[in-house]
Amino acid sequence: MTRKPQTARLPAGARTRAPQVLSALEVLYPDARTELEFRTPFELLVATVLSAQATDVSVNAATPALFAAYPDAHAMSRAEPEDIEPLIRRIGLYRAKARNLAALARLLVERHDGEVPNDFDAVVALPGAGRKTANVVLSNAYGYPAIAVDTHVGRLARRIGLSTQTNPDKVEVDLQRLFPRERWVFLHHGLILHGRRVCIARRPLCENCLMASFCPKVGVTL
């Protein structure tokens, strides 16, 4: 079983702010969910691998043609990276991602009969996957309680005063300590949406933010 990283002391006031953050997100984004478009766990896995250092918009623009050509792991396992590359060329790091997709599809067929396993360690072991990918896939496809820490989640956790960590795995542990397990998935999606729409990295819209009254960095820009 993958061990969780140890983390340092939580920031002062974090336990008081946490329920306020959750309440604000519930008001702002009651139906928060992933913006990646998928129909099956395999499609979600592929889309999540593609989303590393890329926008969901660019991934969603590329995946219809990709999934039409390779609708499941069995089909993609027969492809070479050079076959996949033209379909994902608009996405950053497309050559490396094409290699990972071809390899992970083969492993899914060899180890899991072509199905995405409902197992954290098994997903982490796939090429191009990692802790964040496993959390995204298992939480959205199988209802696994998880907080996937991407750039937005990590940045907002530090800005709002929920964590001081820069390591995503340690931020994940801090957030798990602060929020109820049954709200972890919602928290992940809510923070991402807030980071995209209001708490924008270079120009946070603090005047429009429901968290301004308790955010320790209100009015601060990067």
Side-chain angles (χ1 to χ4, degrees):
M1 184 67 179
T2 302
R3 297 183 64 182
K4 291 182 180 179
Q6 296 297 311
T7 190
R9 182 178 300 176
L10 292 167
R15 294 195 181 279
T16 299
R17 279 189 293 274
Q20 295 174 302
V21 170
L22 187 58
S23 295
L25 293 176
E26 288 170 340
V27 170
L28 291 167
Y29 317 107
D31 301 316
R33 61 181 180 81
T34 181
E35 293 188 313
L36 291 172
E37 296 173 358
F38 70 97
R39 296 167 297 182
T40 66
F42 174 73
E43 289 188 356
L44 177 59
L45 172 62
V46 169
T48 305
V49 169
L50 291 176
S51 71
Q53 300 183 52
T55 65
D56 289 357
V57 172
S58 67
V59 173
N60 290 338
T63 49
L66 178 65
F67 295 148
Y70 307 110
D72 54 36
H74 290 279
M76 191 172 285
S77 70
R78 295 188 287 271
E80 296 298 328
E82 294 76 15
D83 302 321
I84 299 172
E85 284 181 11
L87 299 171
I88 62 171
R89 194 179 299 273
R90 70 185 72 192
I91 299 173
L93 305 175
Y94 71 93
R95 288 192 176 91
K97 291 175 181 179
R99 291 194 297 270
N100 285 332
L101 291 183
L104 76 80
R106 292 184 182 115
L107 281 183
L108 286 177
V109 171
E110 292 171 6
R111 298 179 181 177
H112 308 289
D113 297 322
E115 300 297 323
V116 177
N118 185 4
D119 179 270
F120 184 89
D121 292 324
V123 175
V124 169
L126 296 171
R131 189 176 187 89
K132 189 200 85 170
T133 297
N135 281 336
V136 170
V137 172
L138 296 183
S139 62
N140 288 282
Y142 299 123
Y144 178 88
I147 302 173
V149 178
D150 69 352
T151 302
H152 291 298
V153 174
R155 177 173 61 82
L156 265 66
R158 289 184 291 273
R159 183 177 180 88
I160 301 170
L162 302 173
S163 177
T164 60
Q165 303 294 334
T166 56
N167 181 299
D169 295 349
K170 293 182 178 180
V171 174
E172 178 187 343
V173 173
D174 282 350
L175 295 177
Q176 288 177 342
R177 294 163 66 191
L178 289 169
F179 294 89
R181 184 181 180 88
E182 65 272 14
R183 301 303 285 157
W184 287 356
V185 177
F186 169 81
L187 175 75
H188 159 74
H189 294 309
L191 287 175
I192 288 176
L193 292 178
H194 199 61
R196 288 174 177 169
R197 300 177 185 180
V198 179
C199 195
I200 303 165
R202 296 190 182 278
R203 49 181 179 88
L205 306 176
C206 298
E207 66 276 11
N208 299 328
C209 183
L210 289 184
M211 303 183 199
S213 63
F214 56 83
C215 176
K217 292 189 178 179
V218 64
V220 177
T221 57
L222 298 179

